[in-house]
Amino acid sequence: MSESDRRALVAVIAASLIGAGMAWAGSQGGYSVAGIGIFAIAVVGAFVVQWIVFVPSFWARTERFFDLTGSLTFIGMTAVIVILTPMMDARGWMLAAMVVVWAARLGAFLFSRVRRSGGDDRFDELKESFLRFGQVWTLQGLWVTMTAGAAWIAITAQHRVGIDAFAVIGLIVWLIGLGFEVVADLQKSGFKADPANAGRFIDTGVWSWSRHPNYFGEILLWIGVAIVTLPVLQGWQWVALASPVFVAALITKVSGIPLLEAKADAKWGGQPDYEAYKAKTSVLIPRP
């Protein structure tokens, strides 16, 4: 076994253990079925779905359905939670809708992007190794769990609170975040579709305010979801607040901004117009 395969195996085990810990903690004080927490059922489902789709994907050496599977897992597991949770209240329905709307929009966008481009070069080497390719699918299961965790824990919580200021403020924050993400994606798609912009970087619209406005929107909307959940969290359920922290850390420190910044620097670094754009434009938080 190569060193890279050993690291992948360790990552798979670690991600699975973190998911198990999240499932246990988030299920405390929540509704259950046959003695198993509904939240834990959703977490297990999130991982199992990835592993099931991984097998034929590895066989065909394709990542075409990776993003779509992640988005459908958000939607599918949220539906499972809604079906299993007794006496859904208004806050629960609100949180479920927030997760489903976001996942449906993002999934459709990412799947159409992969269809246009024909693939994702991030997976070129990974999909040749069973363990390394399996690692990214397992990590996607953890991503789904940690990202949707706050909403899922609150939906399944036995402690219920009616719609209040937290729900209203959280919804507003979520709408602003979603708006930034949608507008940024639409503007970039339109920019790339114009042949005159071939080989250029986008520096117009909200992209003149931030080098990554879509990621700003992503972080903001999950903060909004967390705000909505605050009144119902009790005891171990406060692990739900790991959700927006996880999203922010993933985007700013791991697989989001660092990778795209390095890719952009390799492509346009040293060009006066690009260096000027970097110097005057915020990395993340929009500054019109």
Side-chain angles (χ1 to χ4, degrees), residues 17-105:
L17 290 175
I18 293 172
M22 186 76 172
W24 177 85
S27 295
Q28 304 305 305
Y31 286 103
S32 61
V33 174
I36 302 175
I38 295 173
F39 173 66
I41 293 173
V43 172
V44 172
F47 279 88
V48 170
V49 168
Q50 311 312 310
W51 294 331
I52 290 174
V53 181
F54 155 67
V55 174
S57 296
F58 175 71
W59 182 266
R61 299 297 194 274
T62 179
E63 73 283 2
R64 182 175 295 272
F65 300 104
F66 181 78
D67 290 323
L68 182 62
T69 301
S71 299
L72 290 179
T73 304
F74 277 100
I75 297 171
M77 291 304 106
T78 300
V80 168
I81 286 174
V82 168
I83 292 170
L84 295 180
T85 301
M87 300 175 293
M88 285 279 294
D89 64 347
R91 189 183 302 270
W93 283 112
M94 176 187 291
L95 287 166
M98 292 164 86
V99 173
V100 169
V101 168
W102 168 82
R105 202 287 309 179

Side-chain angles (χ1 to χ4, degrees), residues 37-271:
I38 295 173
F39 173 66
I41 293 173
V43 172
V44 172
F47 279 88
V48 170
V49 168
Q50 311 312 310
W51 294 331
I52 290 174
V53 181
F54 155 67
V55 174
S57 296
F58 175 71
W59 182 266
R61 299 297 194 274
T62 179
E63 73 283 2
R64 182 175 295 272
F65 300 104
F66 181 78
D67 290 323
L68 182 62
T69 301
S71 299
L72 290 179
T73 304
F74 277 100
I75 297 171
M77 291 304 106
T78 300
V80 168
I81 286 174
V82 168
I83 292 170
L84 295 180
T85 301
M87 300 175 293
M88 285 279 294
D89 64 347
R91 189 183 302 270
W93 283 112
M94 176 187 291
L95 287 166
M98 292 164 86
V99 173
V100 169
V101 168
W102 168 82
R105 202 287 309 179
L106 183 64
F109 171 77
L110 293 177
F111 185 65
S112 63
R113 186 176 69 179
V114 170
R115 287 187 62 187
R116 288 194 306 270
S117 63
D120 190 331
D121 57 11
R122 295 176 302 169
F123 296 90
D124 288 348
E125 294 183 10
L126 296 176
K127 60 190 177 185
E128 298 302 322
S129 164
F130 182 86
L131 283 174
R132 294 176 68 195
F133 198 37
Q135 170 192 336
V136 297
W137 287 87
T138 302
L139 291 176
Q140 178 157 262
L142 180 63
W143 169 64
V144 172
T145 295
M146 297 299 295
T147 302
W152 289 354
I153 289 171
I155 294 171
T156 59
Q158 294 185 32
H159 177 58
R160 300 290 176 82
V161 178
I163 297 298
D164 56 6
F166 284 100
V168 174
I169 293 171
L171 179 60
I172 292 172
V173 172
W174 180 84
L175 286 170
I176 295 172
L178 183 66
F180 258 100
E181 190 171 61
V182 171
V183 170
D185 285 343
L186 288 175
Q187 288 182 347
K188 191 167 189 178
S189 295
F191 181 86
K192 287 187 173 182
D194 186 349
N197 295 323
R200 296 178 55 205
F201 60 90
I202 183 171
D203 59 354
T204 56
V206 293
W207 296 86
S208 66
W209 302 351
S210 165
R211 302 207 295 275
H212 303 281
N214 53 333
Y215 285 152
F216 170 76
E218 178 85 350
I219 293 171
L220 193 62
L221 71 85
W222 288 112
I223 290 175
V225 169
I227 292 173
V228 175
T229 70
L230 291 177
V232 303
L233 301 179
Q234 294 183 326
W236 281 102
Q237 292 175 340
W238 284 101
V239 73
L241 296 188
S243 172
V245 175
F246 174 84
V247 171
L250 187 67
I251 287 174
T252 61
K253 302 297 183 182
V254 185
S255 66
I257 291 175
L259 292 181
L260 290 182
E261 285 286 297
K263 191 173 182 179
D265 287 344
K267 188 171 185 178
W268 298 296
Q271 296 183 14

